[in-house]
Amino acid sequence: MDRDVFLARVGRAAMTGLLPTSPEVSASLPELEPADLVGLFRDSLQKVDGVAHGPVSGHGAPVVVSGIASGHGCSTFMAWDDLPAPGVAAELTAEGLERVDHDIEESSRLQHQLGYVPLSLGVTGALAGLADSGSLVLSHGPGRPRMASLVPEVHVALLRVADLDRTLSMWAHNHPGAAAETANLVMVTGPSRTGDIEQQLNLGVHGPRHLHVVLVS
Amino acid sequence: MPEPVTFLGRATALVGTHEASAIEMGARTLLKKRDRAAAEFPVMEEMRDRARAIRLHALSNLDRLLGHFADRAEEAGVNVHFAADAEEASATVARILEETGSRLVVKSKSMVSEEIELNEHLEASEIEVVETDLGEFIVQLAGDTPSHIIAPVLHMMRQDVGRLFEEKLGVAYTEDPTELNQIAREHLREKFLQADAGISGVNIAVAETGSVILVTNEGNGRLTTTAPRVHIALMGMERIVSRWEDAAVVLEVLARSATGQRLSVYTNVVTGPRREGEPDGPEQVHVVVIDNGRSEVLAGGTAEILACIRCGACLNACPVFRSVGGHAYGTVYSGPVGSVVTPGLHGMEPWWELPYASTLCGACEEVCPVRIQIPSMLLQLRAQAAEGGRLPGWLEKGMSRYTQTAVSPKKWARAKRWASLLSAPISSKGWIRHLPGPGRGWTDSRDLPRPAKESFTDWWRSNRGS
Ligand code: SF4
């Protein structure tokens, strides 16, 4: 249907409809008692079956990541190019993990994606962390593939302590342009889960089964 | 268009079954989680007020917001399509699939796709459509329909799933949910990575940025919108807010109300196809904005129901839903929200009975994150049905007091006051068993306002068939 015709019909309907009146959306969000964001983030992440590490210094981060990788017996990994701590990919390669390249040529899209099936580890940064829910905010773009936090069995994210905020609504309020700055912004709250069969919790249904967050001070 | 059914007929067949008890159990668990999540969030009530204001504001400016959304989305490289009805929406999807040469399509859970019966429409073509939400995948394999808007296989036991996988996927029988989950993961992973196109719904769109937001816990929504070359998002036209921060408020109350989570595992914000230099993501993004009866609802007395964010809490809280499950309602939208939405979208005539499928106990409104006044809309619809000479047979039998009261909002309000209806001990568990005969007049019992001191049995004796 033509857009203008469609919208004109909607406009007429909105004018005749009997919607209850409602106050304007106020400029500020309801306030929460202040809290220690690092402690709160750790607790919240644990509640959603994720594991928090650190805070560690940037130099300490590569060892922590490779420790997690060997703990899960990972043999292949994909990593974002610009991580908040240097040397992570080099450390993993030195430990014998094979790095899977993440650039997809349009002509070889299918082959490339099928190659992701045995991927065991994905390492990403994070634009922000949300302490109240234990969430990571991932902003995808050049050098920051979406697949890295999606297809592996294990996802490790490096998060700067300074990038912690309280709730999604507060973060969005402080970053009103965030949604449009990238083609794909994702909030990740714990490992992939389902309760579809008899409400029984199961992790790793389509996405990663394990989520580790390394806090970097 | 779903097939009209008599609610009572279906409900009667379901009461006391294995399916109904599975629903009862599942819905109670979900409600408990919701209550806990609401209680632990110190600003839950303020956030609900805010979410309500945001949604009502969006509805009263819907044409403007949709226009903005389309402009911004197109700037980001999205193809925006407008579909007046189910037929046009399905045809639009079919055309996009054909133009992009898509053969294998993965789908993440989308209620509007069920509403427009997209799968049935596409079946006629050579295209293979695979549902990827674990629950929806099971429903598709079984040739069944979902029984709950957020938990599609709430009606099935693990043994049912085990037998189904054994039969349809050729795997050894297991009833261990972890193993069943693993079987589905492997089967579907191959499909994801080979699919030409992904079809998703839209939980909420943002006018100011042209973004569509999808939430899932499993990650199938992200895979659907990342792996294939083409992403098609189906969006009920009311699923929109002005700003990104408004969407964030809605997402917080949605997750808490649906499953008691603080946020769903994956909140996926898509603003156009993959950009210059990006390593992955779809080459094309299409958004199909669907009316299919919504503008008529918006123009009428039940417009407020369009503020719904599909959390499913009202289903879990509803004693009628919990006793019979989603299949009794005959369409994709079940429970209290469905009893208002379905007659609105598909017409009063075949669906006039649904507004009676309620005890008007008020539990739905109490848990609704956007505080939709469902009971008063049900009353309004009943009045409309009664004006059209429509009264369920099970009510006509001597229910004069009821009909006079229940169809007039004013009288109802008075009745509510003196009958202390809301505080009446509506024992939700097993209430149906207290009735004489499972099929006869079960709904009316709970429908009637009754004086606080009168026992239900006394009331029943003095009113039934008098
Ligand atoms: S009507 Fe309210 S409680 Fe029911 S599904 Fe919609 S938002 Fe949730």
Side-chain angles (χ1 to χ4, degrees):
Chain A
M1 189 182 223
D2 177 69
R3 164 180 160 159
D4 294 338
V5 179
F6 186 103
L7 294 182
R9 182 162 83 165
V10 176
R12 276 195 306 276
M15 269 166 51
T16 49
L18 297 171
L19 280 166
T21 50
S22 145
E24 279 293 304
V25 182
S26 73
S28 56
L29 285 162
E31 290 205 15
L32 287 163
E33 295 268 313
D36 160 35
L37 293 182
V38 173
L40 186 57
F41 181 84
R42 297 179 64 101
D43 287 352
S44 306
L45 183 61
Q46 195 184 357
K47 283 200 184 107
V48 294
D49 304 291
V51 185
H53 304 259
V56 296
S57 70
H59 293 303
V63 183
V64 176
V65 177
S66 78
I68 297 166
S70 70
H72 287 292
C74 297
S75 56
T76 52
F77 77 100
M78 180 191 283
W80 282 12
D81 292 348
D82 42 359
L83 294 171
V88 172
E91 171 77 18
L92 290 171
T93 317
E95 290 294 310
L97 276 85
E98 184 196 334
R99 184 169 185 170
V100 177
D101 182 35
H102 54 64
D103 277 313
I104 299 180
E105 287 301 322
E106 181 51 19
S107 56
S108 65
R109 189 174 179 109
L110 181 60
Q111 281 73 9
H112 197 96
Q113 296 196 169
L114 289 177
Y116 285 169
V117 176
L119 186 64
S120 46
L121 171 67
V123 185
T124 72
L127 183 61
L130 308 173
D132 236 41
S133 50
S135 311
L136 298 162
V137 181
L138 306 182
S139 170
H140 300 105
R144 299 190 306 277
R146 308 168 192 209
M147 287 291 197
S149 59
L150 191 51
V151 290
E153 282 282 304
V154 183
H155 172 202
V156 177
L158 298 155
L159 169 66
R160 276 194 207 92
V161 169
D163 295 330
L164 280 171
D165 206 325
R166 186 69 185 267
T167 64
L168 177 63
S169 51
M170 287 175 179
W171 185 78
H173 186 78
N174 297 333
H175 300 83
E181 277 158 19
T182 162
N184 189 227
L185 185 78
V186 174
M187 271 60 67
V188 174
T189 309
S192 157
R193 68 170 58 215
T194 180
D196 272 344
I197 302 174
E198 290 189 18
Q199 305 291 298
Q200 271 231 347
L201 173 66
N202 250 288
L203 299 180
V205 59
H206 289 298
R209 203 179 302 271
H210 306 282
L211 172 66
H212 295 265
V213 177
V214 181
L215 292 160
V216 181
S217 54
Chain B
M1 167 73 89
E3 223 177 278
V5 289
T6 63
F7 176 81
L8 186 67
R10 288 238 187 172
T12 306
L14 283 162
V15 168
T17 59
H18 153 98
E19 165 163 347
S21 51
I23 296 265
E24 166 87 36
M25 233 163 60
R28 273 177 190 283
T29 312
L30 285 168
L31 185 64
K32 236 182 267 155
K33 289 184 183 167
R34 177 262 165 214
D35 287 346
R36 217 178 298 140
E40 60 144 42
F41 192 31
V43 293
M44 183 69 182
E45 299 313 309
E46 290 95 318
M47 291 295 272
R48 288 173 70 187
D49 292 338
R50 194 174 179 87
R52 176 173 172 81
I54 286 167
R55 291 293 293 132
L56 290 176
H57 171 80
L59 292 179
S60 36
N61 296 282
L62 193 55
D63 53 329
R64 199 170 51 79
L65 260 54
L66 286 171
H68 277 306
F69 167 79
D71 290 343
R72 295 292 93 77
E74 274 162 11
E75 277 165 26
V78 176
N79 292 294
V80 183
H81 311 260
F82 291 90
D85 53 25
E87 192 56 40
E88 192 183 352
S90 289
T92 305
V93 175
R95 201 185 61 235
I96 299 167
L97 293 175
E98 197 191 308
E99 282 170 8
T100 52
S102 301
R103 290 265 152 267
L104 175 62
V105 177
V106 284
K107 235 178 109 211
S108 78
K109 187 171 157 41
S110 150
M111 298 193 53
V112 74
S113 82
E114 284 159 35
E115 174 193 322
I116 65 171
E117 304 194 315
L118 180 67
N119 289 10
E120 288 77 355
H121 193 100
L122 295 179
E123 246 164 39
S125 58
E126 299 281 275
I127 296 164
E128 182 187 354
V129 182
V130 184
E131 293 286 350
T132 61
D133 171 85
L134 179 59
E136 294 283 344
F137 173 65
I138 294 167
V139 162
Q140 189 183 36
L141 276 186
D144 201 348
T145 53
S147 56
H148 187 288
I149 67 178
I150 65 155
V153 288
L154 203 60
H155 62 295
M156 285 170 108
M157 300 288 194
R158 64 184 75 189
Q159 293 81 0
D160 303 329
V161 181
R163 279 190 295 271
L164 181 71
F165 279 15
E166 182 184 23
E167 185 198 329
K168 298 283 165 118
L169 301 177
V171 294
Y173 176 83
T174 169
E175 54 183 57
D176 173 10
T178 308
E179 284 175 29
L180 292 168
N181 175 30
Q182 188 59 28
I183 293 167
R185 177 183 167 109
E186 278 162 25
H187 181 86
L188 290 170
R189 182 56 70 87
E190 291 290 319
K191 300 281 183 193
F192 272 123
L193 299 180
Q194 292 179 48
D196 303 298
I199 297 178
S200 75
V202 171
N203 289 86
I204 204 84
V206 182
E208 206 177 67
T209 62
S211 314
V212 293
I213 304 177
L214 288 83
V215 297
T216 65
N217 281 324
E218 300 178 359
N220 59 315
R222 282 191 69 196
L223 275 166
T224 301
T225 60
T226 301
R229 267 183 302 118
V230 181
H231 168 206
I232 305 170
L234 303 175
M235 170 180 159
M237 71 173 198
E238 80 285 12
R239 303 322 230 20
I240 195 164
V241 294
S242 297
R243 304 168 302 171
W244 155 234
E245 66 163 280
D246 296 332
V249 171
V250 168
L251 292 165
E252 284 182 8
V253 295
L254 170 64
R256 284 187 155 88
S257 305
T259 48
Q261 290 166 284
R262 293 180 184 177
L263 277 181
S264 305
V265 177
Y266 299 109
T267 301
N268 185 17
V269 186
V270 176
T271 312
R274 150 190 197 184
R275 294 185 188 172
E276 186 68 34
E278 255 198 276
D280 50 19
E283 308 295 328
Q284 285 184 28
V285 175
H286 297 262
V287 176
V288 186
V289 182
I290 300 167
D291 185 323
N292 202 32
R294 287 166 174 75
S295 52
E296 273 133 67
V297 176
L298 184 61
T302 58
E304 186 189 347
I305 200 68
L306 296 175
C308 172
I309 57 173
R310 305 278 189 266
C311 71
C314 60
L315 280 63
N316 303 329
C318 176
V320 175
F321 178 88
R322 284 208 304 250
S323 303
V324 296
H327 287 153
Y329 295 78
T331 69
V332 46
Y333 305 111
S334 56
V337 57
S339 296
V340 179
V341 161
T342 303
L345 294 184
H346 301 307
M348 201 61 183
E349 190 32 55
W351 300 104
W352 60 272
E353 210 189 12
L354 287 181
Y356 289 92
S358 162
T359 70
L360 297 176
C361 69
C364 47
E365 187 174 337
E366 227 162 274
V367 296
C368 176
V370 283
R371 306 192 195 280
I372 297 176
Q373 301 161 57
I374 298 176
S376 66
M377 281 190 281
L378 290 171
L379 278 172
Q380 205 189 108
L381 290 170
R382 289 179 186 189
Q384 230 171 292
E387 268 164 35
R390 288 306 216 161
L391 260 190
W394 31 283
L395 280 179
E396 271 164 5
K397 286 190 196 127
M399 290 297 161
S400 53
R401 178 170 128 205
Y402 164 83
T403 51
Q404 280 170 17
T405 314
V407 299
S408 143
K410 227 195 244 140
K411 280 185 191 157
W412 179 261
R414 213 179 309 137
K416 227 162 66 168
R417 236 175 296 127
W418 58 256
S420 65
L421 177 85
L422 296 179
S423 58
I426 293 171
S427 86
S428 40
K429 191 164 170 107
W431 57 268
I432 270 170
R433 270 159 258 150
H434 298 172
L435 294 182
R440 246 191 81 218
W442 64 269
T443 317
D444 41 356
S445 61
R446 291 294 167 166
D447 266 327
L448 296 155
R450 58 198 165 89
K453 294 281 152 51
E454 194 181 359
S455 81
F456 172 70
T457 345
D458 289 347
W459 178 87
W460 174 257
R461 257 188 229 115
S462 58
N463 285 274
R464 180 180 57 150
S466 63

